[in-house]
Each structure stands twice: as C-alpha cells, then as structure tokens.
Amino acid sequence: MAITIIARHMDPQTILQALGQIAPQLDVRIWPDDGDTDEISYALCWKPPQGIFQQYANLKAIGSLGAGIDFLLKDPQLPAHLPVTRIVSQQLAQSMFDYVASCALNYCRQFDLYRKLQQDNLWRPLPPLLCSEVTIGIMGLGELGRFVASKLLQLGFKVVGWSRSSKDISGVECYAADAQLSPFLAKTQMLFCLLPLTDATEGILNRELFIQLPQGAYVVNVARGEHLIEQDLLWALKSGHLRGATLDVFRQEPLPDEHPFWQCDQITITPHCASATYPQAAAPQIVENYLRLCQNQPLLYQVNLKNGY
Amino acid sequence: MAITIIARHMDPQTILQALGQIAPQLDVRIWPDDGDTDEISYALCWKPPQGIFQQYANLKAIGSLGAGIDFLLKDPQLPAHLPVTRIVSQQLAQSMFDYVASCALNYCRQFDLYRKLQQDNLWRPLPPLLCSEVTIGIMGLGELGRFVASKLLQLGFKVVGWSRSSKDISGVECYAADAQLSPFLAKTQMLFCLLPLTDATEGILNRELFIQLPQGAYVVNVARGEHLIEQDLLWALKSGHLRGATLDVFRQEPLPDEHPFWQCDQITITPHCASATYPQAAAPQIVENYLRLCQNQPLLYQVNLKNGY
C-alpha cells in the first residue's frame, strides 16, 4: 500500500517532506511518477486532472490537501463509492482568521481611505470608528466560519452570521436559509464569504445581494471564485454603493493578466493565500487517516459528498 | 469656578457637548471667548499657544485633552506649581490597539507586498507567515504600551518590550534602559514606537537604531513626530534594510504638502488618528477631576512633570 500526491498549482515537495519527517516508513509518491498505480490506496489531491482516479485500481480513499473539495466534485468520473477527506486544522483556521482580522481592522481604522487620500497628499482625519461600532457578517458557519466569527467577537466587533441550516454560536446573531438572508445583509457593514461552493451558493455574491448591504459596505471573498458574479461586483463598486472589496479567490486562477480586477483601485487582490495548508499541520492527520485506512477504520474529516462539504 | 477649553487643531465642540450631556450644571467655556478669565480654575488643552496660562490668575490645574502632554512641556511659561492631568481611557487604549493590530496583521499577511505585486498584475503567492512566527517589539510600556503588548500576545504574536525603567508584563520579554536596547532591536521584526516624548527619546528612531533591526523589518510610529529622524527613515527604506513604515505622527502636522513621505510607496501615512480621544470617554474623568479640584482632593491621571509622562 502506498500514498500518491496528485497536486497542480501547489508544490508537492513540502507535503512529502512533512510526511517524511513524522512517518519516514510510509511509501509516499508524487504523481505522475508514482510507479505501479495498483499499489496506491490513498490519493492526496489539489486540483488533479479530471478522470485521473480511473488509473488507480485499488484506491481506497481520496483526500483533498485543502479545506475545500469542490475541485473533486467537478470530476464526473470521481469514484462515488470511495470516502473523500479534507484537511481540518487549527492552523488553517488561525491563518484564515489572521487574514480576515487584517481586512476587518483595515476597514475599521479606514486605512483604505487614508491610502487614497495619501495619493493626493491629503491630510484629512476621518471620524473615528471603533470595532464595537462595526457589524461584520459571516456567510458560512462551518469549521472556519465559526472559528472566525468567535475570534472577531473577541476583537470587539459585532458579528452576525448566515448559513444554510441554523447554527448557534455564543454572541453571534445567526440567520439561516434564503428567508433570513435579507435581514442578515441589512445589518452587515463588512461581508465575509466563507461558504462552501455548491449549486446553491454558486454566484450568490451578485447584484441583488450587494444592493441589500448598507451603503458603504465592504465585501471580502475568501471562499471560491465561483461564489462571485464578477461584473456585478465591478458595478457595485463603480456605483459607489460598495466602498471596496478584498478578493483572495477567482473563477480563473492565477487571475489572468488582462482581468479588470487588477487595476481597480477599490479591489485588493491576494493570490489564494488566505488560508494556506501548512504541511506541518496537515501531515499528522494524513498519517492518521492512512493508518485508519490500513485498518479499515472510519476516516477523520470525511466529506458528505451529497452536501458538498 | 469654571472650565475653559483651549484647543487648536481639534474641534472643542465635541468635548463641550459630551461634558454638557453628563454634567449640564458645569460652567464650561471655549477659548478665546471664555469671558472673565479670573473665574477659570481648570484649563483643558490641546496644543494651546505658548504663554496662554499667564492670562488665568486663578488657575488650579491644567489638563491635556489627549494621552500626551509634550505640547505643554514645550511652554517655558507653563506654571510649574500647577498639577497637570492627561486622559487615560480604555477606549484610547482600545483605539490604539486596533490601529497597531491592523498594522501588525497587514505585515504578517503581507498585504503591503501583495498590494505592490497587484500594481504590476502579478500573481505570486509568498511563503505563508503565521502570527506565531512574527516578533513584535514595543518601545514604551506605559498605559498604552502595556495594553497593546498584552493584546498582541492574545492575537498570537511573539512580543518583546523596551522601556526606560524595567517592567514586568506576563508573556512579554521586557528589556530596559540603553544597555538593553540592542538585544531588543535584534529580535524585533516589527517595531512600534509608543514612547513618551522627552529629551532622552527625541530622535531615538534614527539610522543607528534602524540598522540594528533585522533585514526586512517594519517600523510604526504612533507616538510623536519628534521621535523620528526623517532622513534616516528614508535612507533605511531606500537601502532596502527596512521593508516599510506606517507613520501617524509627524514633526509638522498637518504634514506639509511638499513632504517626501507622501509619495514614498513604502510609507503609509495616517493623520494623527491612531488613538483619538473619544469625547464620551474623556468627559467623565474631566468631570471627576473638576469635582476633586473643587474639594482640594488629589487629581486622577496626574503627570510627573520631571519625567515628562
């Protein structure tokens, strides 16, 4: 039995090294040079080519190397009988929180506006804004969303949340399902999208949603590029209804050179780095799941393929 | 007995209103239209003209409307026999922390570098950096410095501190006096200056200090413009030794239109807003001190004029 790493747009060496450090006896290979594919029982993936799993006759499980698994669901030949796992780690959540908190404080302390004033040598103190006066809305209250919401609360922000099914998070006013989306949006001065990508959430960040946010709201997408209707965001920014946006994910990654987002001064772009998988954090749960696989035990962090998360 | 507000570069009306809301019976006036100056016993000031206090024959105390009192010490005619008070408030400290945390997370998540890459349409994920891998150095461990240091620790940063006399803050490695400045600087990836302005600290942010910081360090000044030797900062940025700086205070405020800081893309400028006095937070302690003054009791938040803080 062996593990293969099928990774594109991600360096497989760092995961290989982290696995080697804690479990040197494991047979870990890197696709496409992974030898006799019949020996592979666990395929760790990041954006693998479609149909690739057909090559592995004795595969017992598929693992995403990130928190999301949407790239696996897109593969019509994904073997439906195999368990699919993902990475769940405190470090992934901490990394996401640091990114989100940076955006939230930047907005609250108005660094984005001061940066614009600086371009014109303008000294203009704006009315001070305290965290306790800013309401942040989190869409998606899974592992990451819940963690981020609770930590933002500790920073002093007011936090509201929205998710498909109703959730209970201490101190966070939670809204659920389509019916409660409007009241959630009406309260949200800064919207963070941490939703899983499903048929129901694709394109949810659209014109109709933006106009329900208060004037001057800020939008941050750290989930998936497909959540956003790109033209609708440009319209909402240009019209002045939204003050700005920070985007970490895009429909096409890397974001194409000619894309209008690059030179829109109301948009801050980061290259899908909000919540990076730290190999040292991922390796132990990969090893644990591999051992469970060998012993036919239930796996950790298994994904419900019907829900898509 | 009456209070006068002597404020320049600050709107006195907001303080007047806040005092009126909680103590409508107080006789509060606004300089220069403050009537019979013999009736004034408490002068609340922000950058008053030098020598102004000679006009108030029955003054019993002078109060700064901010956390600092350096502008009062500059007045050679400051009546040496009068107590001087300043504003100490949780909201002032919270506001400072929000600003500092925004800078720290911006550095950690490398938004400054991504913003530069965006200018050239460049998609280039940088090696991820966790808060726990970043050491922040706080110069000045007074009310604000101690609060900020402890809260940064809660965010997950490593924190070291330096001050004139030795301090003890749980979880923060504290250094003291000139002798320990070098080892403090050697550890500091992100330097925050929260020092009081005194003869000993004027010009402390200079070339000799910058070169003792590790390559790629970041400097933030939220104390007073006079702490910084401006040419030395420009040199350290241009040489590439420092990655960037955020400045909230300047030797001349407003920062003159022709100043080279404005168009230096490694410098972020804010207009002395890091820790703004919130009138609602300041008013209760002003009223309390006024009542103590009337009853000849010791005042709150009195400054030691010999130390300068």
Side-chain angles (χ1 to χ4, degrees):
Chain A
M1 286 182 60
I3 293 175
T4 189
I5 303 173
I6 309 173
R8 294 192 302 171
H9 310 295
M10 178 196 254
D11 179 11
Q13 291 296 337
T14 55
I15 283 283
L16 184 72
Q17 282 161 18
L19 290 169
Q21 274 163 19
I22 61 165
Q25 76 286 5
L26 281 194
D27 182 357
V28 185
R29 307 170 188 181
I30 293 179
W31 171 85
D33 305 316
D34 49 4
D36 181 357
T37 52
D38 284 355
E39 294 168 4
I40 305 291
S41 53
Y42 196 12
L44 304 173
C45 309
W46 187 253
K47 303 188 177 173
Q50 293 206 349
I52 187 90
F53 302 113
Q54 305 304 314
Q55 302 174 16
Y56 301 88
N58 298 315
L59 206 55
K60 287 181 163 185
I62 295 168
S64 164
L65 282 168
I69 56 132
D70 47 290
F71 54 84
L72 291 172
L73 294 180
K74 277 188 207 152
D75 185 348
Q77 296 174 73
L78 181 76
H81 62 291
L82 294 184
V84 172
T85 63
R86 64 193 188 101
I87 302 296
V88 174
S89 90
Q90 179 70 19
Q91 221 166 11
L92 208 64
Q94 182 66 45
S95 165
M96 178 62 90
F97 169 70
D98 295 346
Y99 184 102
V100 165
S102 184
C103 296
L105 287 165
N106 183 72
Y107 171 84
C108 176
R109 297 315 306 255
Q110 309 178 89
F111 276 98
D112 58 329
L113 301 179
Y114 285 127
R115 215 171 278 115
K116 267 180 209 153
L117 289 168
Q118 183 175 347
Q119 288 170 4
D120 299 320
N121 299 19
L122 282 177
W123 178 279
R124 192 175 295 161
L126 304 167
L129 199 58
L130 284 173
C131 291
S132 55
E133 298 166 330
V134 174
T135 299
I136 290 177
I138 308 284
M139 294 184 86
L141 299 170
E143 299 281 346
L144 292 178
R146 273 201 301 272
F147 182 84
V148 163
S150 298
K151 297 268 285 181
L152 286 172
L153 213 55
Q154 285 173 28
L155 268 187
F157 288 101
K158 286 181 277 193
V159 184
V160 296
W162 180 85
S163 54
R164 203 182 61 150
S165 58
S166 125
K167 296 278 160 54
D168 189 14
I169 305 171
S170 173
V172 177
E173 208 174 317
C174 290
Y175 298 79
D178 290 349
Q180 295 184 349
L181 184 56
S182 292
F184 161 80
L185 294 171
K187 289 207 168 180
T188 294
Q189 291 166 274
M190 231 194 145
L191 181 75
F192 287 92
C193 176
L194 282 95
L195 288 165
L197 182 62
T198 66
D199 288 346
T201 64
E202 216 245 280
I204 194 168
L205 301 177
N206 57 34
R207 184 171 175 140
E208 193 194 350
L209 178 143
F210 295 143
I211 56 177
Q212 294 180 73
L213 292 168
Q215 168 79 28
Y218 202 99
V219 170
V220 180
N221 189 13
V222 286
R224 287 290 180 263
E226 289 84 351
H227 286 119
L228 175 68
I229 305 296
E230 300 188 339
Q231 289 311 314
D232 289 5
L233 177 65
L234 288 170
W235 167 83
L237 290 169
K238 208 172 170 183
S239 74
H241 184 67
L242 294 184
R243 164 169 145 187
T246 295
L247 305 175
D248 185 53
V249 291
F250 304 89
R251 285 181 180 259
Q252 194 182 339
E253 295 178 6
L255 187 66
D257 184 53
E258 68 280 5
H259 200 287
F261 282 172
W262 283 116
Q263 295 303 322
C264 175
D265 75 346
Q266 290 167 284
I267 298 179
T268 297
I269 291 173
T270 55
H272 203 144
C273 64
S275 176
T277 302
Y278 289 75
Q280 286 74 15
Q285 58 191 268
I286 291 171
V287 172
E288 169 70 19
N289 264 343
Y290 184 67
L291 295 175
R292 287 170 177 239
L293 211 54
C294 296
Q295 294 158 14
N296 288 311
Q297 289 173 2
L299 303 184
L300 297 177
Y301 312 128
Q302 209 174 316
V303 180
N304 180 331
L305 288 184
K306 225 168 79 187
N307 289 346
Y309 57 91
Chain B
M1 285 182 59
I3 293 176
T4 188
I5 303 173
I6 309 175
R8 295 192 300 170
H9 310 295
M10 180 195 252
D11 178 10
Q13 291 296 337
T14 55
I15 284 283
L16 184 73
Q17 282 162 17
L19 289 170
Q21 274 162 20
I22 60 165
Q25 76 286 5
L26 281 194
D27 181 357
V28 185
R29 308 173 187 180
I30 293 180
W31 169 85
D33 304 315
D34 48 6
D36 181 357
T37 52
D38 285 354
E39 294 169 6
I40 304 291
S41 53
Y42 196 14
L44 303 173
C45 308
W46 188 252
K47 304 190 176 172
Q50 293 205 350
I52 187 92
F53 303 114
Q54 306 304 314
Q55 302 175 16
Y56 300 89
N58 298 315
L59 207 56
K60 287 183 165 185
I62 295 168
S64 165
L65 282 168
I69 56 131
D70 48 289
F71 53 84
L72 291 172
L73 294 179
K74 277 188 206 150
D75 185 348
Q77 295 175 74
L78 182 75
H81 62 289
L82 293 184
V84 172
T85 62
R86 63 195 189 98
I87 302 296
V88 174
S89 91
Q90 179 70 18
Q91 222 167 9
L92 208 64
Q94 181 67 44
S95 166
M96 178 63 89
F97 169 71
D98 296 345
Y99 184 101
V100 165
S102 183
C103 295
L105 287 165
N106 184 71
Y107 172 84
C108 176
R109 297 314 307 256
Q110 310 177 90
F111 276 98
D112 57 331
L113 302 179
Y114 285 128
R115 215 171 278 116
K116 267 179 209 154
L117 290 168
Q118 182 175 346
Q119 288 170 5
D120 298 321
N121 298 20
L122 283 176
W123 179 277
R124 192 175 294 162
L126 303 167
L129 198 59
L130 283 173
C131 290
S132 55
E133 297 166 331
V134 173
T135 299
I136 290 177
I138 308 284
M139 295 184 85
L141 299 170
E143 300 281 345
L144 290 178
R146 276 202 299 274
F147 181 83
V148 164
S150 298
K151 295 269 284 182
L152 286 172
L153 213 56
Q154 284 174 27
L155 267 187
F157 288 100
K158 285 183 278 193
V159 184
V160 296
W162 181 85
S163 53
R164 203 181 63 147
S165 58
S166 128
K167 295 277 159 56
D168 189 15
I169 305 171
S170 173
V172 178
E173 209 175 314
C174 290
Y175 298 79
D178 291 348
Q180 295 185 350
L181 184 56
S182 292
F184 162 79
L185 294 171
K187 290 207 168 180
T188 294
Q189 292 165 273
M190 231 194 146
L191 181 75
F192 286 92
C193 177
L194 283 94
L195 287 166
L197 181 62
T198 66
D199 287 346
T201 63
E202 215 245 281
I204 194 169
L205 300 177
N206 56 34
R207 185 171 175 142
E208 194 194 349
L209 178 143
F210 294 143
I211 56 177
Q212 294 181 73
L213 292 167
Q215 168 79 30
Y218 201 100
V219 171
V220 180
N221 189 14
V222 285
R224 287 291 179 263
E226 290 84 352
H227 286 119
L228 175 68
I229 306 294
E230 300 187 340
Q231 290 309 313
D232 289 6
L233 177 66
L234 288 170
W235 167 83
L237 290 168
K238 208 172 171 183
S239 74
H241 184 69
L242 294 184
R243 165 169 145 188
T246 296
L247 304 175
D248 185 53
V249 289
F250 304 89
R251 284 180 181 262
Q252 196 183 338
E253 295 178 6
L255 187 65
D257 185 54
E258 67 281 7
H259 200 288
F261 282 173
W262 283 115
Q263 294 303 320
C264 174
D265 74 346
Q266 290 167 284
I267 297 179
T268 298
I269 290 172
T270 56
H272 204 145
C273 64
S275 175
T277 301
Y278 288 76
Q280 287 73 15
Q285 58 191 267
I286 290 171
V287 172
E288 169 70 20
N289 265 343
Y290 184 67
L291 295 176
R292 286 171 176 238
L293 211 55
C294 296
Q295 295 159 14
N296 288 310
Q297 288 173 4
L299 303 184
L300 296 177
Y301 313 129
Q302 210 175 315
V303 180
N304 180 330
L305 287 185
K306 224 168 78 187
N307 290 345
Y309 56 92

